Amino acid sequence: MRILVQKFGGTSLSTEQARERVIHHIERERNSGYAVVVVVSAMGRKGDPYATDTLLSFVRDNGGALPAREKDLLMACGEMISAAAMCSLLQSRGIPSVALTGGGAGIITDEQFGSARIKSIRTDRLLHELQNGKVVIVTGFQGVTSDGDITTLGRGGSDTSATALGAALQAEIVDIYTDVDGILTADPRIVSEARPLEVVSYAEVGNMARQGAKVIHPRAVEIAQQSRIPVRVRSTFSDEPGTLVTDASAASGGQAVKDKFVTGIAHVTGVTQISVQAIEGRNDMQLQVFQTMAKHHISVDFINVTPSGAVYTVFDEDADHALALLSECGFSPAAVRSCAKISVIGGGMNGQPGVMARIVEALTEQGIMIMQSADSNTTIWVLVQEADMAKALRALHAKFDLHR
Ligand code: ADP
Ligand code: MG
């Protein structure tokens, strides 16, 4: 049996026309001989009647009073509605299908309600249904604990459901269908010149995803990479093949990988830069700062430590808490809120001189201040004010010729 997993995101299911496109992709692959597993998200986005955010408003109106376990019960509903609706649509076209919950599809998770991790997948039921010639629709974003409680997998969790099922079923490929033409060189909502990449490595996409490119969830990429399952990110609204995500060797040996240092640019908004000066006669500053943050579960990023002080970032929503804690420790921290972290990513930049110089050039030409920077083999990060972010992304995109 040649198994294919298709995952459809919220906007791919939100309108009748979009659902027609979904049926079209399922039928096409089925007709070409695949046993098809379809993973569905909740329909639409915030404001749409059955979107997860909308379901959550029931609780928000009560001041958020609901234990995590029961909140997962509510959050898992959107996918169930999608799955039943798609099952009905397939049946009406004479395509045999069955809809399964995450638990029904054998996805067993830990008890971390709201951000559960998949522990194992029992594939017997899935395989049985596929063998009977059915299209199996699985609710994304959810699993079940060994006690039978429904859990959700966190933001972007349907991508994780899809690649995890692909790995467990040893699928030939996992197709992530969405509302853009693949993995683009930057977020098309900000950089209109962004274009889809033909082939990228798991490492590069994982990097882009971790640095804010929300087109695929980083956990989903990790699982695909571990199991070496190829992933395609493609549009529901066209028949183009989209972006193939595979390992570096296959990528360079197979389809043409463009000889470029930089593959793409990602960004994260809503970060606060905190600076703490060392105090004369106190040599525990660095230890105190980071131990305090850790103790209070404040996640820190972009850390630069020097003998004269420490600079790092936290999410805007954690900034007040972090600053209060630092003051309690006797420091006088300074903060710049509403910053954006921009990541210039490329497997090919390793050892290439001048990449940083070009970044500085691009931003200086636009009069954009770089507040902090750091680099690794495959990424250069810069921190800018959020107000400069769009301009910075466009300037960097142009400087590295990513539109070509
Ligand atoms: P879905 O509902 O299909 O899961 P998402 O909203 O999670 O869709 O992801 C698709 C969106 O990701 C696109 O509409 C696009 O705005 C955004 N995006 C951000 N960065 C990128 C990128 N580098 N390539 C493609 N899309 C991106
Ligand atoms: Mg998504």
Side-chain angles (χ1 to χ4, degrees):
M1 202 163 41
R2 295 169 62 206
I3 299 175
L4 178 95
V5 177
Q6 301 180 316
K7 177 255 167 177
F8 294 94
T11 43
S12 304
L13 296 159
S14 59
T15 66
E16 223 177 285
Q17 278 161 319
R19 292 192 285 273
E20 274 311 317
R21 292 294 304 167
V22 172
I23 297 289
H24 161 79
H25 292 296
I26 295 173
E27 261 191 314
R28 187 194 58 232
E29 300 297 3
R30 195 174 138 80
N31 291 341
S32 63
Y34 282 109
V36 181
V37 175
V38 177
V39 176
V40 291
S41 293
M43 290 179 188
R45 292 200 175 133
K46 203 172 188 154
D48 290 329
Y50 311 114
T52 308
D53 272 314
T54 311
L55 300 174
L56 278 171
S57 67
F58 287 113
V59 183
R60 241 176 261 130
D61 297 347
N62 302 331
L66 188 68
R69 180 184 169 282
E70 282 70 16
K71 195 171 164 192
D72 270 6
L73 217 51
L74 178 64
M75 286 204 289
C77 291
E79 279 71 16
M80 298 200 207
I81 295 169
S82 284
M86 288 317 297
C87 183
S88 161
L89 208 49
L90 285 167
Q91 300 279 343
S92 74
R93 307 296 157 85
I95 302 170
S97 66
V98 58
L100 302 176
T101 59
I107 300 177
I108 310 297
T109 73
D110 62 16
E111 282 85 33
Q112 280 283 324
F113 295 103
S115 57
R117 299 273 288 200
I118 296 173
K119 290 204 304 196
S120 62
I121 300 184
R122 287 199 305 258
T123 55
D124 34 327
R125 173 78 188 273
L126 273 166
L127 287 169
H128 175 75
E129 301 289 2
L130 290 174
Q131 258 140 13
N132 284 341
K134 289 185 182 162
V135 170
V136 182
I137 305 166
V138 182
T139 54
F141 175 62
Q142 58 171 263
V144 69
T145 67
S146 43
D147 289 338
D149 289 331
I150 290 180
T151 52
T152 66
L153 309 178
R155 287 260 155 211
S158 293
D159 296 336
T160 306
S161 306
T163 58
L165 285 169
L169 294 165
Q170 295 182 305
E172 215 170 278
I173 201 151
V174 174
D175 279 336
I176 306 283
Y177 284 89
T178 184
D179 61 348
V180 285
D181 290 332
I183 294 165
L184 276 65
T185 46
D187 187 341
R189 281 185 242 191
I190 299 173
V191 183
S192 55
E193 298 81 28
R195 54 161 196 92
L197 296 157
E198 207 176 324
V199 191
V200 276
S201 67
Y202 296 112
E204 284 175 307
V205 171
N207 224 340
M208 286 180 76
R210 276 189 300 277
Q211 300 301 333
K214 63 173 278 208
V215 62
I216 185 167
H217 195 269
R219 178 89 191 108
V221 180
E222 272 167 39
I223 292 172
Q225 180 168 22
Q226 278 158 17
S227 319
R228 304 189 141 248
I229 303 278
V231 173
R232 274 180 310 207
V233 177
R234 54 195 297 181
S235 170
T236 300
F237 305 96
S238 85
D239 283 339
E240 295 299 316
T243 303
L244 176 67
V245 184
T246 181
D247 63 45
S249 54
S252 52
Q255 299 180 41
V257 168
K258 299 279 171 358
D259 188 17
K260 281 187 172 172
F261 308 145
V262 173
T263 307
I265 303 173
H267 67 276
V268 180
T269 56
V271 299
T272 294
Q273 184 193 48
I274 296 181
S275 314
V276 189
Q277 295 283 342
I279 298 174
E280 278 280 318
R282 262 183 83 173
N283 56 12
D284 65 341
M285 184 273 290
Q286 293 154 2
L287 188 63
Q288 273 253 313
V289 168
F290 295 108
Q291 271 184 347
T292 306
M293 296 299 116
K295 200 170 129 199
H296 294 270
H297 305 287
I298 297 176
S299 92
V300 297
D301 189 26
F302 225 141
I303 303 164
N304 285 150
V305 174
T306 62
S308 63
V311 181
Y312 62 97
T313 60
V314 298
F315 289 114
D316 281 343
E317 54 269 29
D318 291 334
D320 287 336
H321 187 199
L323 293 168
L325 291 167
L326 292 167
S327 299
E328 275 169 37
C329 293
F331 300 113
S332 313
V336 185
R337 290 167 207 264
S338 303
C339 298
K341 181 190 185 191
I342 296 179
S343 306
V344 178
I345 294 157
M349 76 167 62
N350 193 4
Q352 289 295 332
V355 181
M356 185 62 193
R358 286 170 73 183
I359 292 175
V360 175
E361 198 177 87
L363 299 183
T364 312
E365 281 165 0
Q366 298 293 323
I368 296 166
M369 181 175 63
I370 300 175
M371 300 168 60
Q372 219 179 315
S373 76
D375 72 294
S376 77
N377 285 339
T378 56
T379 311
I380 295 179
W381 298 274
V382 291
L383 191 71
V384 301
Q385 304 256 15
E386 224 170 84
D388 289 331
M389 186 193 73
K391 207 159 71 167
L393 288 173
R394 291 183 201 123
L396 291 166
H397 200 269
K399 184 62 83 180
F400 289 100
D401 282 334
L402 293 178
H403 55 286
R404 284 208 204 108

